[in-house]
Amino acid sequence: MATRGIHHITAVAGDPKQNYEFYTQVLGLRSVKKTVNFDDPSVYHLYYGNEHGDPGTILTFFPWEHLQDGKPDVGQVVAISFSVPTGSKNFWLNHLQNQNIDIEAPFSRFGKEVIGLQDPNGLHLEIVFDPKANTVDGWDGGPIPNEHTIRGFHGATLAERNYTKTGQLLEEHLGFNKTNQLDNRHLYETEADFGSVIEIIDQFDLNGRDGKGTVHHIAFRAENEDEQFDICQQLEYKGYYLTEVKDRQYFKSVYFHEPGGILFEIATDPPGFTTDEDPEELGTALKLPPWLETHRHNIERELPELTS
Ligand code: ZN
């Protein structure tokens, strides 16, 4: 059976250089693709992930500097969690302290230890010490020692007014099973190594808004275009309004709004990030899709440097 779970999560950042430094140097993720927003090529689209850029590890950002600061809201993905081996807690506590990152005191949720923190734009992140991560390879190419590296997403937390319809969608169409509940927090899981957890918190009001430091959308995996077609057909049958299939160069995408208003995407695993870059070079050069390549000169002139 196909592996189901989160494919990627896309959020909004401010300063692209600050974003690049935080995710590659503080969290030690690999830059797996530097490209532009295909609908607005004056803005970067930065992809971070594991060594191979596997689905379930990919966090992407649009650094839209002119946008207002966002705040967590109902109808948003309000937290993104990363999976780290269970023996790495002391390393991460020391590392985040050395990097002057404020953290929440470690706590336990659904049997796993968690450290909460925020990215430079206030996006809420969690490092989860997860036994699954102990069985997955780390990465040697970044600033974090291999054994302590983030392996991929643990999962994401959705804030909703009522979890039931979103929960049904996860269970009936996206391969998740409800496995636990604690007060107003509902846990859904798949079998995947990465990105296998969605938590929904029932929350009436958060008084938030979209903007920098908020999640733009969350994508779920389809094994290939056939499976994507099947999932989409079933969703349409249930009354969801879906976009056409969009070519995102590294995957094919279809978008729709889930019942609580969050933008969901169904993204194919293939072709992946090595389609236009060698595995050892991932994320080093500015890559453009064929239809933007003729504008490369102007696009490069507009984009700021990511490293000093
Ligand atoms: Zn996407």
Side-chain angles (χ1 to χ4, degrees):
M1 214 189 89
T3 308
R4 306 301 296 276
I6 298 168
H7 182 285
H8 66 268
I9 299 174
T10 295
V12 180
D15 179 359
K17 187 163 179 274
Q18 186 186 44
N19 179 266
Y20 190 82
E21 275 173 11
F22 180 81
Y23 284 96
T24 61
Q25 297 305 309
V26 176
L27 294 190
L29 300 178
R30 185 175 189 188
S31 164
V32 296
K33 198 63 64 183
K34 277 186 222 168
T35 183
V36 294
N37 180 341
F38 294 171
D39 303 318
D40 175 7
S42 70
V43 174
Y44 275 116
H45 193 182
L46 302 174
Y47 289 73
Y48 309 103
N50 72 351
E51 177 176 5
H52 312 288
D54 288 319
T57 77
I58 303 296
L59 177 58
T60 96
F61 287 91
F62 296 124
W64 275 315
E65 292 190 80
H66 61 279
L67 279 195
Q68 65 182 0
D69 290 330
K71 283 192 290 190
D73 202 2
V74 176
Q76 277 184 6
V77 175
V78 292
I80 297 169
S81 63
F82 298 101
S83 178
V84 163
T86 49
S88 297
K89 190 170 92 174
N90 286 337
F91 169 84
W92 278 95
L93 288 172
N94 287 329
H95 173 68
L96 293 170
Q97 189 179 27
N98 291 340
Q99 297 281 339
N100 292 317
I101 306 293
D102 289 334
I103 60 161
E104 287 171 47
F107 61 97
S108 175
R109 192 169 69 220
F110 295 127
K112 294 172 190 163
E113 281 199 285
V114 182
I115 297 175
L117 66 149
Q118 295 191 339
D119 89 348
N121 292 110
L123 179 62
H124 188 68
L125 305 174
E126 293 171 340
I127 291 175
V128 178
F129 301 95
D130 181 4
K132 262 191 193 176
N134 298 17
T135 64
V136 175
D137 287 340
W139 179 46
D140 279 320
I144 308 288
N146 183 316
E147 74 253 45
H148 301 305
T149 51
I150 288 172
R151 302 308 205 251
F153 289 127
H154 175 262
T157 303
L158 283 45
E160 304 277 13
R161 274 198 185 79
N162 182 338
Y163 80 97
T164 48
K165 283 190 176 154
T166 305
Q168 256 172 28
L169 170 66
L170 291 172
E171 292 198 290
E172 289 172 10
H173 299 282
L174 300 175
F176 287 80
N177 292 305
K178 186 165 184 187
T179 53
N180 210 339
Q181 175 178 357
L182 186 65
D183 302 325
N184 64 339
R185 186 179 281 266
H186 306 264
L187 177 67
Y188 295 83
E189 295 183 90
T190 75
E191 301 289 316
D193 282 341
F194 323 111
S196 62
V197 171
I198 294 287
E199 294 176 34
I200 306 178
I201 34 175
D202 263 340
Q203 197 128 32
F204 184 70
D205 198 5
L206 283 172
N207 237 335
R209 60 182 187 207
D210 292 337
K212 286 184 273 196
T214 64
V215 171
H216 186 267
H217 66 266
I218 180 166
F220 295 90
R221 295 173 67 171
E223 186 177 28
N224 50 39
E225 288 178 58
D226 288 343
E227 196 191 36
Q228 182 186 47
F229 181 83
D230 289 344
I231 296 169
C232 291
Q233 209 173 31
Q234 290 163 20
L235 289 169
E236 275 179 340
Y237 181 73
K238 288 284 176 69
Y240 287 98
Y241 176 77
L242 278 69
T243 65
E244 68 207 20
V245 179
K246 293 181 194 273
D247 183 358
R248 296 314 193 192
Q249 185 77 355
Y250 312 107
F251 41 85
K252 296 275 173 63
S253 299
V254 174
Y255 303 84
F256 65 101
H257 284 98
E258 57 86 29
I262 301 173
L263 186 60
F264 274 19
E265 172 183 343
I266 309 293
T268 57
D269 283 1
F273 294 96
T274 52
T275 188
D276 63 355
E277 238 172 350
D278 290 336
E280 53 282 5
E281 312 258 286
L282 280 182
T284 53
L286 181 73
K287 304 307 289 185
L288 297 173
W291 63 92
L292 291 175
E293 196 56 59
T294 49
H295 306 288
R296 175 176 283 274
H297 181 71
N298 287 337
I299 289 171
E300 282 184 339
R301 205 176 47 192
E302 297 266 312
L303 293 170
E305 292 286 334
L306 289 177
T307 49
S308 27

